[in-house]
Structure formats: structure tokens, C-alpha cells
Amino acid sequence: MIFGALEAGGTKMVCALGQEDGTILEQVSIPTTTPEETIPLIIDYFKEKGIVSLGIGSFGPVDVNKDSDTYGHILDTPKTPWKYYDLLGELQKALNVPIELDTDVNGSCLGEMTFGDAKGLDSVVYITIGTGVGVGAAVGGQLLHGMLHPEAGHILLEKHEEDTFEGCCPYHGTCLEGLAAGPAIEKRWGKKAVELKDNDKVWEIEAYYIAQAIMAYILTLSPRKIILGGGVMHQMQLFPMIRKEVKRLMNGYINTKEMQDIEHYIVPASLNDNQGIMGCIQLAKLALEGK
């Protein structure tokens, strides 16, 4: 069986074919412009491939409530051409196969839980830190939904004492995304993150913010593993700094085996940046099973 996978991002749409074991057979990237330009290209790609179902991990906010009249619609996005667009409905109509949709970060979380470092675990947090900050979560084996879906990249943080940057989130200023995403690093320091690799102060401040967020996620969601992906997290020197700062902030309050073995608790993404597509393959499998 061939499963279709669509990682619908704000700058590109990655379309792929995969197998039940997560093997990616092929993939193509289509620029995200307008629905009128982009969606026909996606449909053309999948239409002749013989897919049995499709899994979609979409940028948000997106309606993931299957009982909602607007299930599968992009919601109030700053990407104006996509605002209130019926992504699921248009693809369902054109492809006529079972489709399962979730957020892109929940898809990445599912990919890691099914094929990666979090395999066999029922409660996981996946954080992507790049152009923005997104958080996907599973609790009790189910991807987390509620009133909407997690938007935990926008939790408010305490400023580092040496950081004068005002934050760049247009909604909240000093939230995690406003202080720690790639654009925040570039605006604060005048260079892209990749050019700042050897500047210890950059990563001390970055680790301070990421650790605050992780502490909040530990205390609220109690995950069995925390996985960090995205372009900023390619700076591997961040991981020991984040772990050390989490332990300092936690101050001995939680003393589980996971916290005692924090090197294996707070970890990098494990699927070579394919966790999103592999999660979409799993979503497609769940769509076919009617789950």
C-alpha cells in the first residue's frame, strides 16, 4: 500500500509517498503561495500515485475538531491568502481517499512516537524552534487537542538579565517565539544563528529561554520525553546548556528517573528532519484504519 503524506508549511508544501513502516519512497517540495496556485499542484502530484489515504500535518492555526463545521480549515492565520481556507475539504473532494489532518508539530510528535526516539511512549512533547516556535504533544497516547490545539510556542517568559531585546512576536513580544525563534536571534544579534555558533552568550540566553518553556511543559504535561527539532536546534551545543538550565530551574522539585537521566530525556529529533513527513505517513495509516 502507498500512503500519501503532506507536510503543509507556510513556505513550502512537502508532498511524499510512504509505506507503513515509515519508509519515504519519494517526496517533492512545492512553494506555498496562494491556494489557487498551490493546491492544484498538490492534487496533480497525488492524483496519479495510487495512494490509499492521505495524512496532513498543517501549519496553524487549523481546526482539528472533527465535530466542528470548519474541521480541516485553516483559521485566522497571518498568511492572508490561506485564512479560513478549507484545506481538508478541497483535497478530500479532489482525491476521494480517507484523510487525517493534524498540526505540523503534532505530526512531528507522532513521527517520533511511531518511528523515532519516542517509540513506545504515550506522553511526549515535541518542540520545533526555527522561523517560529511550535509545540506538539501527546498525552495518554493521543495527540493533544482541546479548544484548539497546543500553541505553546507563545507562553510568556521571564527576560534574561542581560537581554535588552524587546522580543519580536507581534502578539506577545516576550513569549518563547518572540525571544527564541530564529528571527529573534537574528534581530537581537544582527546575524543569523548559524553565523553565531561560537558566541557563547548567544546560546546561554537561548538556553535560558528554552529551559523556562521546557520546565513549564514538564510541570503541566508531565511528558516521558521532550524532543527538540527545527533549524535553531541544529546548534547541538544547546542541548547540554538546556539540560543544565532545566535542572537549575527545577531546583530538585521533580526527581523521576527521567529527570535523573536528563541526557536521554531532553533530546534532539531523531529522524533526520523527516519526523514531520513520517508522522503524516502514520496519520494516513490511521485515516485508512478509520481511527
Side-chain angles (χ1 to χ4, degrees), residues 4-267:
L6 171 61
E7 193 172 15
T11 56
K12 64 181 180 180
M13 301 274 182
V14 180
C15 303
L17 306 179
Q19 295 177 317
E20 187 171 357
D21 64 358
T23 299
I24 299 168
L25 301 172
E26 64 174 65
Q27 65 181 58
V28 301
S29 181
I30 296 168
T32 304
T33 56
T34 65
E36 293 73 24
E37 292 176 348
T38 304
I39 295 299
L41 298 176
I42 293 171
I43 290 168
D44 287 346
Y45 174 79
F46 285 120
K47 203 151 196 178
E48 306 305 322
K49 302 293 187 180
I51 61 171
V52 295
S53 59
L54 176 66
I56 304 172
S58 175
F59 69 88
V62 59
D63 192 340
V64 294
N65 179 2
K66 292 183 179 179
D67 296 326
S68 169
D69 292 339
T70 55
Y71 170 55
H73 288 59
I74 308 293
L75 298 174
D76 196 13
T77 175
K79 301 168 182 66
T80 306
W82 294 87
K83 195 176 283 192
Y84 309 123
Y85 181 74
D86 186 5
L87 178 64
L88 177 67
E90 290 300 317
L91 293 175
Q92 184 85 69
K93 189 165 53 179
L95 299 174
N96 196 30
V97 296
I99 300 177
E100 186 78 10
L101 173 141
D102 214 305
T103 64
D104 46 4
V105 278
N106 264 357
S108 292
C109 186
L110 182 63
E112 289 283 354
M113 290 175 69
T114 309
F115 306 110
D117 218 24
K119 193 170 183 177
L121 300 180
D122 64 350
S123 297
V124 177
V125 166
Y126 177 90
I127 310 163
T128 183
I129 304 177
T131 306
V133 177
V135 179
V139 176
Q142 298 295 316
L143 293 172
L144 184 58
H145 302 153
M147 175 184 69
L148 186 62
H149 46 72
E151 283 288 354
H154 290 269
I155 63 170
L156 296 176
L157 303 178
E158 180 181 305
K159 291 281 293 291
H160 189 282
E161 63 182 9
E162 295 179 49
D163 187 15
T164 59
F165 182 59
E166 68 276 10
C168 61
C169 173
Y171 295 95
H172 315 113
T174 57
C175 64
L176 177 61
E177 182 170 293
L179 290 171
I185 295 172
E186 186 174 353
K187 287 179 182 177
R188 181 189 289 111
W189 300 101
K191 294 181 180 179
K192 291 186 181 295
V194 71
E195 301 173 74
L196 296 161
K197 184 175 176 62
D198 298 322
N199 186 329
D200 291 344
K201 184 57 68 177
V202 172
W203 308 112
E204 177 194 319
I205 290 173
E206 186 74 4
Y208 177 74
Y209 291 138
I210 295 169
Q212 280 189 63
I214 286 175
M215 179 179 173
Y217 306 151
I218 291 171
L219 294 173
T220 51
L221 297 173
S222 200
R224 297 180 185 275
K225 194 174 285 283
I226 295 168
I227 300 172
L228 291 118
V232 170
M233 297 313 304
H234 290 162
Q235 301 291 329
M236 298 305 290
Q237 73 273 20
L238 266 172
F239 282 90
M241 299 171 80
I242 290 167
R243 293 171 188 132
K244 182 179 178 181
E245 187 63 16
V246 167
K247 291 198 90 162
R248 186 189 73 81
L249 290 170
M250 201 66 80
N251 199 28
Y253 182 62
I254 290 178
N255 192 28
T256 61
K257 63 181 176 58
E258 288 86 358
M259 291 296 293
Q260 291 167 11
D261 186 19
I262 199 166
E263 288 77 14
H264 295 102
Y265 180 55
I266 300 171
V267 298

